[in-house]
Amino acid sequence: MTTETRTFPPRPLRGVKAAYIRQAGCPSSVAITVSDFEPWEQGVEFEVADTSAVPGWSADEVSELHEAFGSGVREELAALDPGTTVAVTVVLRSIKVHEVDSHPLAFRHAGRLAVRNALVEAYGPPPRPRRDRT
């Protein structure tokens, strides 16, 4: 059996949305992002567009959220099948925060989710496991 190799992303994927929202009690998590996945050299580059101003948040706090998002992106891309070559620049275009429930871990999860959403946009949903009916 031969495995088809592919390069991610196969084309520019712009405006990829990711919302990690968990509010079933305390603690809660909120991270909403929009990012672009652009073909680039092999590996992962991460950039932040001018999303540095979040009312009520210091530049250091916002920078932590950006870094956490980038970490989540890198973690998810590192977990791809060996047949996938990663050659991407990820540009974080915008973020939305909740004044209480946004934190770096939520943005790390949003980064992972952004990669999953980009993969679906690029290649379609993953095949579902077939259940035999007996």
Side-chain angles (χ1 to χ4, degrees):
M1 181 171 134
T2 58
T3 305
E4 182 181 333
T5 59
R6 62 184 183 182
T7 300
F8 177 78
R11 65 183 185 286
L13 305 169
R14 297 197 174 102
V16 176
K17 296 176 183 171
Y20 181 78
I21 301 171
R22 187 182 144 274
Q23 291 188 298
C26 290
S28 297
S29 298
V30 174
I32 302 168
T33 65
V34 177
S35 53
D36 296 340
F37 290 75
E38 301 282 345
W40 195 245
E41 298 172 1
Q42 189 167 345
V44 180
E45 290 293 320
F46 177 68
E47 300 175 9
V48 178
D50 189 17
T51 61
S52 56
V54 176
W57 290 65
S58 72
D60 288 341
E61 291 170 318
V62 173
S63 180
E64 268 189 89
L65 301 180
H66 294 164
E67 289 174 26
F69 179 86
S71 292
V73 165
R74 286 183 183 91
E75 289 169 10
E76 194 68 19
L77 289 171
L80 291 179
D81 292 331
T84 302
T85 300
V86 176
V88 65
T89 293
V90 179
V91 181
L92 181 58
R93 293 284 172 204
S94 68
I95 65 172
K96 290 186 181 179
V97 300
H98 182 276
E99 62 186 35
V100 175
D101 296 333
S102 290
H103 48 83
L105 183 58
F107 276 84
R108 184 176 140 252
H109 287 300
R112 294 184 72 112
L113 184 58
V115 171
R116 292 178 199 152
N117 292 346
L119 288 166
V120 168
E121 188 174 324
Y123 305 113
R128 298 178 91 173
R130 183 179 167 174
R131 293 194 282 177
D132 292 330
R133 296 182 185 208
T134 55

